[in-house]
Amino acid sequence: MNNASSALKVAAGIFLTIALITIVVLLFISAQEATKTAQNNFADIQTELSQAAFTVYDGTTISGSQVTNALRKYADKDQFGIQVITGKNKGGQWYGNELNISQDINNADYGSVVAPDNKVGSINQTMSEKDNQYVNPSGKFKAVIVKDKSNVVRGLIFQQS
């Protein structure tokens, strides 16, 4: 009887150990999935926040002084370009990187940088009234955001109205 009782205690101990290990493994697996989901959500939030700075320019009309402020703020940013189209310069001038906007918006190359190592435009040109790239501080400009195929903001276009 004593051996049977000891055997039952050992069997119960083994069963409880296996049950505990199973519970720990299940909790670990579900925690891993929750962690992956949280990381994906965090990445989405981070992308939204980084793009939120450009929502002020999405289809709005802004002043020339805001255009020059945007040039100072974003022209040196990597993989980013700003085009300013003034009344004197209908073809526009790129600042920072020149972007590929000549193709259809659904094209894979739309919004891509034409020459990544070649920065163009000088903000000083926007200050001189004699220059075709002069941006009148009180002028009105229609702002458009340029996004690439993966929906990342690659540039801004300001057209004087």
Side-chain angles (χ1 to χ4, degrees):
M1 192 73 132
N2 200 9
N3 287 341
S5 175
S6 293
L8 281 174
K9 287 179 183 177
V10 169
I14 292 173
F15 176 74
L16 287 173
T17 303
I18 291 172
L20 183 63
I21 290 171
T22 304
I23 290 171
V24 168
V25 168
L26 289 174
L27 287 173
F28 181 73
I29 290 171
S30 66
Q32 265 186 327
E33 291 174 13
T35 302
K36 286 179 185 176
T37 303
Q39 284 176 335
N40 289 340
N41 289 344
F42 182 72
D44 291 343
I45 290 170
Q46 195 173 18
T47 302
E48 283 181 35
L49 288 175
S50 68
Q51 305 298 318
F54 301 109
T55 56
V56 70
Y57 302 110
D58 195 11
T60 60
T61 300
I62 62 173
S63 69
S65 61
Q66 288 173 305
V67 170
T68 54
N69 287 339
L71 284 170
R72 284 188 196 103
K73 190 173 184 179
Y74 302 118
D76 292 332
K77 189 174 177 185
D78 287 338
Q79 301 292 313
F80 196 84
I82 300 173
Q83 184 182 39
V84 179
I85 303 168
T86 62
K88 288 182 177 180
N89 187 4
K90 303 288 186 193
Q93 172 66 43
W94 283 100
Y95 297 91
N97 291 299
E98 184 177 345
L99 302 179
N100 182 356
I101 58 168
S102 60
Q103 298 177 346
D104 182 53
I105 195 166
N106 296 319
N107 189 304
D109 289 335
Y110 183 84
S112 63
V113 176
V114 174
D117 297 330
N118 187 20
K119 298 281 187 182
V120 293
S122 170
I123 297 175
N124 294 335
Q125 294 172 316
T126 64
M127 307 298 174
S128 172
E129 289 186 45
K130 296 176 185 175
D131 211 325
N132 284 346
Q133 285 81 21
Y134 173 68
V135 175
N136 186 343
S138 60
K140 297 295 177 196
F141 290 80
K142 177 80 171 163
V144 178
I145 295 176
V146 177
K147 294 182 180 181
D148 65 6
K149 187 75 172 170
S150 58
N151 208 27
V152 175
V153 176
R154 292 291 179 200
L156 300 168
I157 300 174
F158 299 112
Q159 183 169 11
Q160 193 167 17
S161 50

